[in-house]
Amino acid sequence: MTKYEKKIYDIVNTSREHMTAEQIFDTLKQTYPGVSRATVYNNLNKLCDVNLIRRLSIEGMIDRYDHNARHDHLICQKCKELVDINLEDLTESIKERLDGNFLSYDLKVFYICPKCR
Amino acid sequence: MTKYEKKIYDIVNTSREHMTAEQIFDTLKQTYPGVSRATVYNNLNKLCDVNLIRRLSIEGMIDRYDHNARHDHLICQKCKELVDINLEDLTESIKERLDGNFLSYDLKVFYICPKCR
DNA sequence: AGTATAGTTAGAACAATTCTAATTTAAGGA
DNA sequence: TCCTTAAATTAGAATTGTTCTAACTATACT
């Protein structure tokens, strides 16, 4: 792991804020002012490929990056606010269904948040 | 519903192929050669807003549009091939958890497809 | 018919991400 | 330590899916 890869991994894992690439870029600049956007994207892609972090693609919003501990997401359909939620772990039941042939899953729940109701 | 809205709805509902906006545009041109891309996007957005169709945002691929009957998706992490799958319906258990405050959910399962194994 | 409203159009604009080619850094011998 | 090669990083151009804009058209309602 290069210093950038490590630092980006740390930023994503420490934050509980579902950061965008741009926010990660800004944060990284505090430590390495000369860093380039391309480095951020390169390393984010690398980290996602090896499943060290998780990319969140949600309709109508740009990609966000999240730590990889098992959890689900709750998204307000109006304001798009995104919060963590822990629903029942489906790993075993999906594994069974797919004959063990399974990598990960991603569960998003849409609702209207208290503020928007 | 305008003729375009209706036709776009039909195209998405008839296809079992998770079409992109561009593919829908091409198909629509067969019936209405003069149609504009903006019309396709406008109507797709409208149809998604009222939940008549479903937008699929999956990391690393462009948005696709799908009929809205309850089903889940299986995605190959290598080749990104996308297929339908029907896993256990989580609606009731999520509703319970959120005190009825719930719109819909979206479950994606990542695996390596037979071709890529 | 006349007027307001909604829908459509072409293409410019935008923004997130990827690409490119040059440069820098790191790693592993000799 | 120096040399060589591979890997990582850089700046900014390019790409691309999508939205925006302003003009135009169709539709619906008095």
Side-chain angles (χ1 to χ4, degrees):
Chain A
M1 260 205 188
T2 68
K3 62 178 181 176
Y4 290 120
E5 201 177 350
K6 178 83 184 71
K7 186 71 189 169
I8 289 170
Y9 173 77
D10 286 344
I11 290 169
V12 173
N13 263 275
T14 311
S15 162
R16 291 291 107 114
E17 292 191 54
H18 311 107
M19 297 172 90
T20 63
E22 198 63 22
Q23 290 173 319
I24 293 163
F25 176 55
D26 289 341
T27 306
L28 189 57
K29 270 195 296 194
Q30 291 167 16
T31 310
Y32 302 109
V35 72
S36 143
R37 232 175 287 262
T39 300
V40 174
Y41 281 103
N42 287 344
N43 283 300
L44 284 172
N45 288 340
K46 231 188 280 179
L47 288 164
C48 286
D49 285 350
V50 296
N51 278 304
L52 278 172
I53 62 171
R54 183 172 162 186
R55 181 184 281 113
L56 298 179
S57 293
I58 296 169
E59 41 156 291
M61 50 198 284
I62 66 177
D63 285 356
R64 286 156 192 283
Y65 297 87
D66 204 358
H67 65 101
N68 212 358
R70 222 211 62 69
H71 65 284
D72 310 295
H73 291 107
L74 203 50
I75 299 137
C76 175
Q77 200 144 62
K78 270 208 177 141
C79 71
K80 306 286 175 193
E81 192 202 36
L82 176 61
V83 301
D84 289 348
I85 184 176
N86 269 288
L87 296 166
E88 184 198 350
D89 188 344
L90 303 171
T91 307
E92 285 313 313
S93 76
I94 297 175
K95 248 184 194 151
E96 212 170 290
R97 171 70 181 274
L98 296 181
D99 295 324
N101 234 322
F102 157 84
L103 291 173
S104 65
Y105 75 88
D106 179 30
L107 176 58
K108 288 171 194 133
V109 176
F110 296 93
Y111 80 139
I112 305 289
C113 76
K115 269 170 279 161
C116 289
R117 284 204 280 268
Chain B
M1 259 202 186
T2 68
K3 63 178 182 180
Y4 291 121
E5 201 178 349
K6 179 84 184 70
K7 186 71 190 172
I8 288 169
Y9 173 78
D10 287 345
I11 290 168
V12 172
N13 263 275
T14 310
S15 161
R16 292 289 106 115
E17 291 191 55
H18 312 106
M19 296 172 90
T20 63
E22 198 63 21
Q23 290 173 319
I24 293 163
F25 176 55
D26 290 340
T27 307
L28 189 57
K29 271 196 294 195
Q30 292 169 16
T31 311
Y32 302 110
V35 71
S36 143
R37 231 174 287 263
T39 298
V40 174
Y41 281 103
N42 287 344
N43 283 301
L44 284 172
N45 287 341
K46 233 187 280 180
L47 289 164
C48 286
D49 285 350
V50 297
N51 277 303
L52 277 172
I53 61 171
R54 183 173 165 187
R55 182 185 281 111
L56 299 179
S57 293
I58 296 169
E59 42 157 292
M61 52 198 282
I62 67 175
D63 285 355
R64 285 157 194 281
Y65 297 86
D66 203 359
H67 64 103
N68 211 359
R70 222 211 63 70
H71 66 284
D72 310 295
H73 291 107
L74 204 50
I75 299 136
C76 176
Q77 199 143 64
K78 270 210 177 139
C79 71
K80 306 287 176 193
E81 192 201 36
L82 176 60
V83 301
D84 290 346
I85 184 175
N86 270 287
L87 296 166
E88 185 197 351
D89 188 345
L90 303 170
T91 307
E92 285 314 313
S93 75
I94 297 175
K95 251 185 191 151
E96 212 171 291
R97 171 70 181 272
L98 296 181
D99 294 325
N101 234 322
F102 157 84
L103 291 173
S104 66
Y105 75 88
D106 179 30
L107 176 58
K108 289 172 195 131
V109 176
F110 296 92
Y111 80 139
I112 304 288
C113 76
K115 269 169 278 160
C116 291
R117 282 204 281 267

